[in-house]
Amino acid sequence: MLTKEDIKQIKLRGSDKDVVLKQLDNFYTGFPALNLVRPAVVGDGIKAFSQRDAKKLSYFYDSNSKMYEILKFVPASGAASRMFKDLIEFTDACSQDKAEDEAQILKNDKWKNVREFFDNIKKFAFYDKLAEAMKQKGFDIKQEMDNKNYTNIIDFLLYSKGLNYANMPKGLLLFHKYADSSRMPIEEHMVEASEYCKCKDKRAAIHFTVSPDHADLFLDEINRVKEKYEEKYDVTYELTFSLQKSSTDTIAVNMDNTPVRDENNRLVFRPGGHGALIENLNDRESEIIFIKNIDNVAPESRSDTTFLYKKVLGGFLFELQDIIFDHLETLDGDPDDEDIRSIVRFIKTKLGFEIYPDFDSLSQEDKVEYLHNKLNRPIRVCGMVKNEGEPGGGPFWVKNQRGEVSLQIVESSQINMDDPEQNKIFKASTHFNPVDLVCGVRDYKGRVFDLLDFVDHQTGFISIKSREGNDIKAQELPGLWNGAMANWNTIFVEVPIQTFNPVKTVNDLLRSEHNEKK
């Protein structure tokens, strides 16, 4: 199926022929569904802390964090175009129905979100900048509103004649309005980092993953605001960027599973999804890494709970890591039966992992090797929010082919939803994944783990995309917090809904969570 020219192309991309062949095979065989045992709930897979315990863990984090190299890792390559889906569709409708004026079209209940946008347009942090962009081209935004020239305002907001927000990354849009300025998500992440990622030398490290199209824009904006926040928060930022590697792109196929080829007969590859970012994460050399999506930010006056629970997650990670490292030192010595029993109890009660069913029949040497293998791996403490209808994966107990049961973050695409029992378990989930993680990525001897050793390559999914008017199949790599971290030690902690403030549509910015407290 692959020609010599194909193999040469694959090598030039930094990939491997066997990896691409495996991807092609996946289109024929599909990915095996995960085997859900039960949802993780508070008391059975999810740890919930009292306010008193939360404050103690926060204090423990503050007392110990200066000893670690800490990084805030922010996936920030997402484009903002989906935020404006309703506005784009409204302008399309107006252009197709030129006989009817825009105000009349807007009355249709289909466009209630667009009406909400224009009813509240002055509340958006980008309003002043939008008004200025229109003024420079001879338009008064207030007059355009009075004249109900809505599509002209949308064009200035979304396209190159104005702010060009439809072609910008989310991280560089103005999200929050303050008394004296407005802030982009990258600025809010910088403020957060000064609160819980500051090392003993007052350095705060943040790493953004960005798309090639937007890398220069990010650099320009960071350089413009960096000094202001360093002075305000008495911090020195160490800001780094990386691109999703082309070697992690996956091959695309036609509906008959033959490779898609371009006009030059070259193979067509597509980005492999956020799971590809495990490569970017693996290139970092920090000890402790916080992970949080670019759009999950709130104004500073509403971030006290977020700051607290970041430290709660970090403090709990420190506690667990200390115990794990002690147990690994014990296993390196001459552990007796009581040592083995103590370590097994810890794994069962604290690490959310049910031991191999035939463990007791193993020799002492094999028990030590088994336990060492289970403990000596990356660890992640994941915040989980009570399910209030938000989309996304959730926390579950999952059984692997060896009969071992562990905690995993699971997406619906990983489940056989046609199986009534699996469907029932999935729908019984009480919490969802807000992407709020803190990770320990060095072993008990201080060596950096190779995170690629802990990926479950049997996870992933096939999706249908469109290319030049034709349906094609695309393949997503194991998700960053799903299959890419499937073989990590995983702990779930309940965190308040106030820590989760995503922006999926532009009107989400009108929520109280995205406006300064009065």
Side-chain angles (χ1 to χ4, degrees), residues 209-276:
T209 64
V210 301
S211 74
D213 293 341
H214 301 138
D216 289 342
L217 282 173
F218 269 97
L219 283 171
D220 289 345
E221 290 299 316
I222 285 291
N223 289 331
R224 185 177 65 81
V225 301
K226 179 172 175 278
E227 188 174 328
K228 176 177 74 173
Y229 290 103
E230 287 184 332
E231 184 176 337
K232 183 172 183 178
Y233 297 101
D234 189 25
V235 63
T236 300
Y237 290 108
E238 183 180 286
L239 302 171
T240 54
F241 302 86
S242 65
L243 308 177
Q244 190 165 308
K245 298 179 180 180
S246 62
S247 61
T248 64
D249 292 350
T250 57
I251 193 168
V253 300
N254 298 300
M255 298 307 289
D256 63 357
N257 294 328
T258 57
V260 175
R261 295 183 180 276
D262 64 17
E263 61 276 8
N264 297 314
N265 203 37
R266 292 169 60 81
L267 299 172
V268 171
F269 290 83
R270 294 178 56 88
H274 64 73

Side-chain angles (χ1 to χ4, degrees), residues 153-181:
I153 297 171
I154 292 172
D155 286 347
F156 270 96
L157 174 65
L158 300 186
Y159 303 116
S160 57
K161 65 193 293 186
L163 303 189
N164 203 27
Y165 270 18
N167 300 302
M168 295 275 283
K170 275 187 183 181
L172 300 183
L173 307 191
L174 290 175
F175 266 29
H176 301 144
K177 184 183 291 188
Y178 289 78
D180 58 347
S181 64

Side-chain angles (χ1 to χ4, degrees), residues 27-183:
F27 286 111
Y28 286 96
T29 62
F31 292 96
L34 295 183
N35 182 10
L36 302 184
V37 176
R38 61 188 185 275
V41 297
V42 172
D44 181 28
I46 300 178
K47 179 73 176 174
F49 293 111
S50 66
Q51 268 304 108
R52 182 165 175 257
D53 286 342
K55 288 180 179 177
K56 284 171 64 178
L57 282 168
S58 174
Y59 177 77
F60 183 69
Y61 178 83
D62 282 335
S63 301
N64 291 274
S65 61
K66 301 297 187 291
M67 297 187 298
Y68 295 90
E69 292 179 25
I70 298 174
L71 174 72
K72 184 176 174 67
F73 184 92
V74 185
S77 58
S81 53
R82 280 178 290 182
M83 282 177 57
F84 304 104
K85 178 175 178 288
D86 291 329
L87 299 183
I88 293 169
E89 290 180 354
F90 174 73
T91 58
D92 289 344
C94 290
S95 65
Q96 292 168 15
D97 190 1
K98 294 180 180 178
E100 193 169 6
D101 71 23
E102 295 176 14
Q104 199 62 35
I105 294 173
L106 192 58
K107 289 180 180 178
N108 189 312
D109 196 51
K110 178 181 180 180
W111 308 116
K112 62 181 181 180
N113 292 334
V114 180
R115 287 199 302 273
E116 182 184 19
F117 172 83
F118 282 110
D119 287 346
N120 297 278
I121 192 168
K122 291 183 179 180
K123 295 179 182 178
F124 289 103
F126 52 73
Y127 176 79
D128 290 341
K129 191 174 180 182
L130 174 60
E132 181 59 29
M134 295 183 70
K135 183 179 179 181
Q136 289 178 6
K137 297 289 177 68
F139 292 95
D140 183 285
I141 191 170
K142 293 178 183 177
Q143 189 174 338
E144 291 297 282
M145 284 290 294
D146 290 342
N147 294 338
K148 299 179 173 51
N149 291 332
Y150 301 119
T151 57
N152 190 37
I153 297 171
I154 292 172
D155 286 347
F156 270 96
L157 174 65
L158 300 186
Y159 303 116
S160 57
K161 65 193 293 186
L163 303 189
N164 203 27
Y165 270 18
N167 300 302
M168 295 275 283
K170 275 187 183 181
L172 300 183
L173 307 191
L174 290 175
F175 266 29
H176 301 144
K177 184 183 291 188
Y178 289 78
D180 58 347
S181 64
S182 293
R183 287 183 187 172

Side-chain angles (χ1 to χ4, degrees), residues 328-504:
L328 285 165
E329 295 285 358
T330 298
L331 291 172
D332 279 351
D334 186 20
D336 57 25
D337 288 344
E338 180 52 38
D339 290 327
I340 297 295
R341 284 192 292 270
S342 175
I343 293 170
V344 168
R345 279 196 301 273
F346 170 76
I347 290 175
K348 285 181 176 180
T349 60
K350 300 295 185 183
L351 287 192
F353 187 89
E354 296 184 11
I355 295 293
Y356 176 52
D358 296 329
F359 177 80
D360 289 339
S361 65
L362 299 176
S363 67
Q364 186 80 344
E365 182 179 352
D366 287 342
K367 286 180 179 179
V368 169
E369 182 180 355
Y370 176 88
L371 294 175
H372 199 283
N373 174 267
K374 292 304 174 190
L375 289 176
N376 194 34
R377 53 183 62 199
I379 182 171
R380 56 177 176 160
V381 178
C382 311
M384 288 290 153
V385 174
K386 284 183 180 177
N387 201 328
E388 296 186 0
E390 297 282 354
F396 292 88
W397 294 92
V398 176
K399 181 181 288 187
N400 67 17
Q401 294 176 344
R402 293 187 64 191
E404 299 167 327
V405 177
S406 64
L407 290 169
Q408 300 288 340
I409 297 171
V410 179
E411 305 279 350
S412 59
S413 60
Q414 298 176 276
I415 306 304
N416 178 9
M417 300 301 273
D418 293 330
D419 182 323
E421 186 59 29
Q422 291 291 290
N423 193 317
K424 181 180 177 182
I425 294 172
F426 189 81
K427 290 182 177 178
S429 178
T430 58
H431 290 68
F432 73 92
N433 168 38
V435 188
D436 188 2
L437 300 78
V438 57
C439 309
V441 293
R442 291 195 188 181
D443 71 9
Y444 67 117
K445 294 185 177 180
R447 299 170 300 199
V448 177
F449 286 111
D450 185 346
L451 303 183
L452 304 184
D453 291 341
F454 301 91
V455 175
D456 179 1
H457 294 284
Q458 294 302 307
T459 61
F461 65 91
I462 310 297
S463 58
I464 307 299
K465 303 290 184 181
S466 179
R467 182 177 185 272
E468 298 178 352
N470 298 312
D471 285 344
I472 64 171
K473 293 182 184 178
Q475 191 170 146
E476 296 276 347
L477 293 170
L480 183 57
W481 30 87
N482 308 112
M485 294 181 173
N487 294 314
W488 293 36
N489 283 321
T490 299
I491 295 89
F492 296 138
V493 172
E494 185 177 72
V495 296
I497 189 68
Q498 292 95 324
T499 64
F500 183 60
N501 304 288
V503 178
K504 303 307 178 188

